[in-house]
């Protein structure tokens, strides 16, 4: 019997999952596993949790949904906890597996873990095979090699849109053959060293994890409300569920794939027509791809203070009070404070808000931009290592911004995007 371990990571779905499809095709039995990596539940060097309360809760919900969907097809999910390079070989030995299949990683820490697992499996004469499952465009289909990708997004976008294709998404499997898998045993949020935190009732949207919820949100945003047809006009909004797609949290954990979003968007365009707004969602997905490819190209440089440009930037070191005021929404700049309070109480903030609070931390407070990036890593439900660090480096003028300095006039931004103070009044007034 050929048995393959499918190691789920940030690809918590059955649809468009090449790893799962290939494993089923090459095996008699598959054993799906997810490992709570101890290194994801510690403090970072900057003093923030690597995974915060909101994202951990979303992860637990997503795993519950994945297990249910797997069981509907005759399988189930085994939960591991510890170091993947120790725990996954144990499963290989238990089931006498000859191969482990998983999503391919591009960022530094994740690649280190992948290398340790590869080394441990090699000793067991077990192969590790990885697949690129996170992007709209497959890296192999780009019109340039990774090392030659332009460091300016517009140049990348124009050539990619002109010369590359988007592959069709993989269908969900109809049946999965697995050995008997006992009921899922998830750790509690307290066992992960965190605590359950209720999302504030003022939240733009209450995210719930899982592929089922992701697909339901897509259907609502596309086919039920047709909000996608106005996306370009509303995307800079600040209040309510439908000013933007809000797909980001599900994309970050791979509960939905960008190719599936694209496929469904094409169906929508056929039925209701294409316009600038439907294109703009693809444009945003391409930005997401770009940051992933930049991480692949520049590796650990994206985590350095000087970034990929090697720019020296003036910062005031270790001003703990300034940082704490920014985190707590007590800077005295009402637009910044409203956004930071929303982030603290909900795990989410609009794209417009993120750009403003990042600019304020970098340009006005002159703090190390990596403090902001690691706070976002802790706090955001939709944290994605490539997009988060790529965007922060961009705003700090050490990333992919072709301009040397990008400064947001916060007062002007507030008057343009919150002229009637609806957003600031919502978050600055006590409930």
């Amino acid at each position: 019997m050929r048995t393959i371990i499918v190691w789920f990571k940030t690809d918590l779905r059955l649809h468009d999952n090449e790893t799962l499809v290939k494993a089923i095709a090459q095996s008699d039995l598959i054993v799906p596993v997810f490992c709570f990596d101890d290194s994801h539940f510690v403090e970072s060097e900057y003093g923030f949790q690597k995974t915060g309360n909101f994202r951990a809760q979303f992860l637990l919900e997503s795993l519950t949904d994945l297990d249910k969907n797997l069981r509907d097809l005759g399988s189930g999910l085994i939960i591991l906890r510890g170091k993947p390079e120790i725990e996954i070989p144990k499963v290989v030995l238990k089931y006498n597996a000859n191969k482990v299949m998983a999503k391919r990683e591009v960022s530094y820490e994740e690649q280190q873990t992948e290398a340790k697992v590869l080394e441990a499996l090699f000793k067991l004469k077990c192969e590790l095979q990885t697949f690129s499952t996170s992007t709209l465009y497959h890296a192999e289909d780009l019109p340039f090699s990774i090392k030659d990708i332009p460091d300016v997004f517009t140049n990348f976008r124009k050539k990619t849109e002109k010369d590359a294709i988007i592959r069709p998404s993989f269908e969900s499997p109809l049946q999965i053959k697995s050995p008997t898998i006992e009921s899922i045993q998830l750790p509690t949020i307290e066992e992960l060293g965190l605590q359950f935190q209720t999302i504030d009732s003022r939240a733009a949207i209450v995210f719930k994890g899982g592929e089922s919820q992701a697909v339901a949100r897509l259907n609502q945003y596309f086919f039920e409300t047709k909000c996608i047809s106005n996306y370009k006009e509303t995307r800079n909004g600040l209040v309510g569920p439908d000013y933007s797609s809000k797909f980001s949290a599900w994309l970050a954990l791979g509960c939905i794939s960008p190719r599936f979003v694209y496929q469904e968007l094409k169906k929508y365009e056929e039925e209701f027509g294409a316009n600038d707004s439907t294109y703009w969602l693809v444009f945003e997905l391409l930005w997401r791809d770009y940051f992933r490819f930049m991480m692949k190209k520049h590796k650990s440089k994206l985590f350095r203070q000087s970034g990929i440009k090697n720019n020296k930037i003036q910062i005031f070191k270790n001003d703990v009070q300034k940082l704490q005021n920014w985190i707590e929404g007590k800077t005295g700049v009402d637009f910044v404070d409203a956004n930071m309070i929303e982030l603290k109480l909900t795990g989410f903030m609009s794209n417009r808000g993120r750009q403003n609070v990042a600019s304020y931390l970098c340009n006005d407070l002159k703090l190390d931009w990596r403090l902001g990036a690691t706070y976002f890593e802790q706090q955001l439900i939709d944290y994605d290592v490539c997009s988060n660090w790529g965007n922060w480096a961009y705003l700090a003028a050490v990333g992919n911004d072709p301009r040397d300095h990008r400064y947001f006039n916060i007062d002007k931004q507030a008057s343009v995007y919150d002229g009637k103070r609806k957003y600031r009044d919502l978050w600055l007034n006590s409930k």
Side-chain angles (χ1 to χ4, degrees):
M1 296 284 280
R2 292 171 303 161
T3 301
I4 292 178
I5 310 293
V6 176
W7 175 18
F8 284 92
K9 294 188 271 184
T10 49
D11 53 348
L12 306 182
R13 63 180 185 269
L14 302 189
H15 74 266
D16 194 28
N17 193 326
E18 184 177 4
T19 310
L20 183 61
V21 170
K22 295 286 172 66
I24 291 169
Q26 294 179 30
S27 67
D28 300 303
L29 295 172
I30 73 157
V31 180
V33 304
F34 178 88
C35 185
F36 281 87
D37 187 335
D38 283 347
S39 68
H40 294 173
F41 296 90
V42 295
E43 268 192 12
S44 70
E45 61 184 293
Y46 300 98
F48 300 111
Q49 291 293 326
K50 296 278 284 181
T51 305
N53 301 330
F54 291 123
R55 182 152 55 94
Q57 186 62 34
F58 188 82
L59 171 60
L60 290 168
E61 292 164 355
S62 299
L63 292 170
T64 300
D65 187 66
L66 177 61
D67 177 68
K68 178 190 176 299
N69 293 339
L70 285 167
R71 287 184 191 278
D72 287 346
L73 301 184
S75 185
L77 187 63
I78 294 174
I79 298 296
L80 312 174
R81 193 169 167 206
K83 295 180 177 179
E85 65 269 25
I86 293 173
E87 299 307 319
I88 288 171
K90 290 179 186 175
V91 182
V92 167
L93 288 170
K94 179 177 178 179
Y95 291 97
N96 196 27
N98 61 328
K99 188 181 284 191
V100 174
M101 291 186 172
K103 170 190 165 181
R104 187 171 305 145
E105 300 293 355
V106 298
S107 50
Y108 180 73
E109 289 177 2
E110 287 79 2
Q111 283 189 327
Q112 298 290 101
T113 300
E114 199 172 273
K116 289 175 187 173
V117 172
L118 178 66
E119 184 181 352
L121 293 178
F122 180 76
K123 293 172 183 173
L124 300 178
K125 296 183 170 56
C126 180
E127 183 185 350
L128 175 64
Q129 188 174 4
T130 61
F131 300 88
S132 180
T133 65
S134 294
T135 50
L136 182 63
Y137 287 91
H138 199 289
E140 292 172 4
D141 299 331
L142 295 176
F144 12 60
S145 66
I146 293 294
K147 69 180 177 60
D148 294 323
I149 292 179
D151 283 335
V152 175
F153 172 72
T154 302
N155 300 339
F156 163 80
R157 176 183 64 80
K158 286 180 177 176
K159 189 158 179 58
T160 299
E161 287 180 335
K162 178 173 173 285
D163 295 336
I165 53 122
I166 295 170
R167 298 182 183 186
S169 65
F170 288 89
E171 293 294 323
S172 299
L174 299 175
Q175 182 185 13
I176 300 174
K177 291 181 180 175
S178 294
T180 301
I181 294 174
E182 293 180 5
S183 298
I184 190 169
Q185 299 290 322
L186 285 170
T188 65
I189 201 158
E190 290 77 17
E191 286 169 344
L192 295 172
L194 301 166
Q195 57 188 13
F196 179 79
Q197 191 172 349
T198 304
I199 294 176
D200 191 283
S201 61
R202 293 168 288 182
I205 186 171
V206 177
F207 289 104
K208 188 167 175 59
E211 178 178 12
S212 306
Q213 294 286 330
V215 174
R217 172 60 186 175
L218 181 145
N219 285 328
Q220 179 194 34
Y221 192 73
F222 284 7
F223 301 103
E224 293 170 22
T225 65
K226 303 183 181 62
C227 287
I228 182 61
S229 288
N230 301 308
Y231 172 63
K232 193 176 181 186
E233 290 74 40
T234 62
R235 66 196 167 89
N236 282 308
L238 301 162
V239 179
D242 293 334
Y243 63 78
S244 64
S245 74
K246 307 291 193 300
F247 296 162
S248 57
W250 292 290
L251 283 165
L253 269 188
C255 299
I256 198 167
S257 86
R259 287 194 306 206
F260 179 77
V261 173
Y262 179 81
Q263 174 183 292
E264 295 302 298
L265 184 67
K266 290 293 141 187
K267 291 178 187 174
Y268 178 89
E269 288 179 335
E270 283 177 22
E271 188 172 352
F272 302 108
N275 63 11
D276 284 351
S277 286
T278 56
Y279 164 72
W280 209 258
L281 188 70
V282 182
F283 177 86
E284 298 290 0
L285 288 172
L286 196 50
W287 259 114
R288 185 177 171 277
D289 274 15
Y290 185 62
F291 282 133
R292 189 166 179 84
F293 296 138
M294 284 295 102
M295 187 70 77
K296 199 169 182 179
K297 176 181 177 180
H298 292 292
K299 302 182 172 63
S300 61
K301 283 184 182 177
L302 267 168
F303 300 98
R304 297 177 191 167
Q305 190 185 98
S306 57
I308 64 173
K309 290 183 175 179
N310 213 24
N311 278 357
K312 298 294 182 215
I313 50 177
Q314 182 200 359
I315 62 166
F316 300 139
K317 290 188 185 295
N318 299 325
D319 196 323
V320 176
Q321 193 57 55
K322 279 186 177 179
L323 177 65
Q324 199 58 35
N325 289 344
W326 180 79
I327 288 170
E328 298 291 338
K330 295 178 179 177
T331 66
V333 179
D334 60 3
F335 193 55
V336 170
D337 290 346
N339 276 287
M340 294 306 295
I341 291 167
E342 181 186 16
L343 177 60
K344 181 184 176 186
L345 298 182
T346 71
F348 185 74
M349 186 197 297
S350 69
N351 182 57
R352 180 56 47 187
R354 294 179 201 204
Q355 293 181 72
N356 275 273
V357 302
S359 173
Y360 185 77
L361 180 130
C362 297
N363 297 310
D364 294 272
L365 299 181
K366 295 196 183 302
L367 295 174
D368 187 336
W369 65 273
R370 296 172 299 174
L371 293 167
T374 48
Y375 178 65
F376 272 29
E377 179 176 3
Q378 169 188 285
Q379 207 64 17
L380 284 172
I381 293 175
D382 65 1
Y383 171 77
D384 170 278
V385 57
C386 304
S387 294
N388 184 66
W389 287 85
N391 271 307
W392 268 97
Y394 189 100
L395 264 297
V398 298
N400 293 98
D401 190 350
R403 289 197 251 172
D404 281 336
H405 187 66
R406 186 174 294 265
Y407 177 76
F408 281 69
N409 181 322
I410 308 289
D411 289 339
K412 183 179 178 184
Q413 289 274 309
S415 67
V416 170
Y417 298 106
D418 190 33
K420 295 181 180 177
R421 295 193 58 92
K422 184 179 177 184
Y423 176 74
R424 281 169 288 176
D425 287 346
L426 178 67
W427 288 105
L428 296 177
N429 296 336
S430 298
K431 288 199 292 180

